[in-house]
Amino acid sequence: MTSQISGLDTRFALAQAIAREAGAVALDYYNRRETLVIETKRDLQDVVSIADREVENLIRARVAEVHSNDGFLGEEYGLAMGDSGYTWVVDPIDGTSPFVNGMPNWCVSIAVLHNNEPVIGVIYAPCHDELYAGATGKGATLNGRVLTLDPSRTIRNAVTGIGANNYVTPAFVGKMVEDLLAAGGNFIRNGSGALMLAYVAAGRLVGYYEPYMHAWDCLAGYCLVKEAGGWYHPFPVEGEQLTKGSPVLATAPGAREDLMKIAGL
Ligand code: IPD
Ligand code: CA
Ligand code: CA
């Protein structure tokens, strides 16, 4: 039995309320996406718009209204340190490429760290009206339905999510796909790593691997997967590491060994 972390309940409820509110704002932008000016970041595939920035601003403001001493890291505006022991780690829109190109695979991803552990994970996919919510000791749910992973699912009888960006070489990505297929697995990539991690928690995917992602991409999904009975490769969050990239792997129990081998972890 996990002892209750002080202050967890209010933040868990707040994270869910904010995810829905932020998701509604993002959905409004999505529905008029032809009016958005699309900018690029690291390369032509790495896109962003005012929707990402405004949604992050909203989430920051909502957290600060209630928990002004909490730290906050968002993809668009970076890290503001706090001193409460809690840090919110937010991707306002994960799956910006699907978002700007008119595909529904994007989400709002909100994690909360307590003493460097992801203790809250909330992912909301507005186009599907799906709210994934998990917190330490409270389990994980999808629209209120409890999520429990099936240990009989492996990379061979289920599908694995993968992702990649230009932090890794084409050869590395080719090898990871080759190794997964050679081991009898198959893959899907929908353009939102955070959403695919939520799909692992929901049992839709048996695992998710991406060689280099950031804390805002993975921590909410990690909490969800753990609470559903799965496993994740820890993401380094101490000090400066919180804003740097690292390999991301989360799995159902029956896929852990195979995917650790494929990921070389
Ligand atoms: C990206 C998505 C994508 C993953 C990239 C991420 P963004 O996040 O999660 O699926 O492959 O590594 O950067 O840019 O849509 O927030
Ligand atoms: Ca992201
Ligand atoms: Ca993003």
Side-chain angles (χ1 to χ4, degrees):
M1 171 111 180
T2 312
S3 61
Q4 175 69 52
I5 303 164
S6 169
L8 186 71
D9 283 351
T10 52
R11 287 173 177 85
F12 188 33
L14 182 65
Q16 293 174 71
I18 295 176
R20 284 194 183 278
E21 183 185 1
V25 171
L27 185 60
D28 183 50
Y29 278 115
Y30 178 76
N31 287 334
R32 51 190 168 89
R33 59 193 171 275
E34 66 284 351
T35 65
L36 297 175
V37 176
I38 312 302
E39 302 152 47
T40 56
K41 297 203 275 189
R42 275 175 55 85
D43 66 16
L44 293 178
Q45 301 280 355
D46 190 6
V47 288
V48 69
S49 80
I50 190 174
D52 303 74
R53 291 191 282 266
E54 289 303 300
V55 173
E56 182 169 320
N57 279 334
L58 171 74
I59 299 171
R60 270 182 199 268
R62 289 288 181 263
V63 172
E65 280 166 13
V66 190
H67 298 292
S68 55
N69 293 333
D70 287 5
F72 192 102
L73 171 64
E75 177 176 10
E76 308 306 334
Y77 291 110
L79 178 63
M81 300 292 284
D83 59 10
S84 65
Y86 282 99
T87 301
W88 296 65
V89 182
V90 169
D91 194 338
I93 298 175
D94 185 80
T96 297
S97 175
F99 181 100
V100 302
N101 289 298
M103 291 178 275
N105 312 318
W106 55 272
C107 61
V108 176
S109 178
I110 300 178
V112 183
L113 290 169
H114 179 255
N115 296 339
N116 291 333
E117 288 294 322
V119 293
I120 292 172
V122 174
I123 289 179
Y124 182 54
C127 291
H128 308 123
D129 191 24
E130 288 190 336
L131 183 80
Y132 301 80
T136 295
K138 295 177 185 298
T141 58
L142 165 51
N143 287 350
R145 184 172 57 81
V146 174
L147 300 175
T148 311
L149 291 180
D150 174 355
S152 73
R153 308 253 291 168
T154 72
I155 62 164
R156 281 164 289 280
N157 63 18
V159 181
T160 301
I162 58 169
N165 48 39
N166 78 351
Y167 286 95
V168 286
T169 64
F172 192 96
V173 179
K175 181 77 168 68
M176 87 196 201
V177 172
E178 184 183 338
D179 289 350
L180 178 60
L181 295 174
N186 212 331
F187 65 90
I188 193 165
R189 178 178 200 262
N190 74 5
S192 170
L195 192 55
M196 283 187 279
L197 285 164
Y199 287 174
V200 177
R204 294 173 180 175
L205 299 176
V206 78
Y208 182 73
Y209 172 50
E210 179 153 348
Y212 187 102
M213 285 215 286
H214 287 92
W216 49 79
D217 300 308
C218 70
L219 291 181
Y222 270 7
C223 181
L224 289 165
V225 170
K226 184 175 177 215
E227 288 301 312
W231 169 87
Y232 63 79
H233 177 68
F235 192 96
V237 296
E238 284 185 34
E240 298 258 297
Q241 289 179 300
L242 182 59
T243 59
K244 312 275 186 238
S246 193
V248 165
L249 176 62
T251 78
R256 175 176 170 176
E257 203 179 311
D258 284 308
L259 289 177
M260 283 181 79
K261 200 166 148 201
I262 287 163
L265 297 171

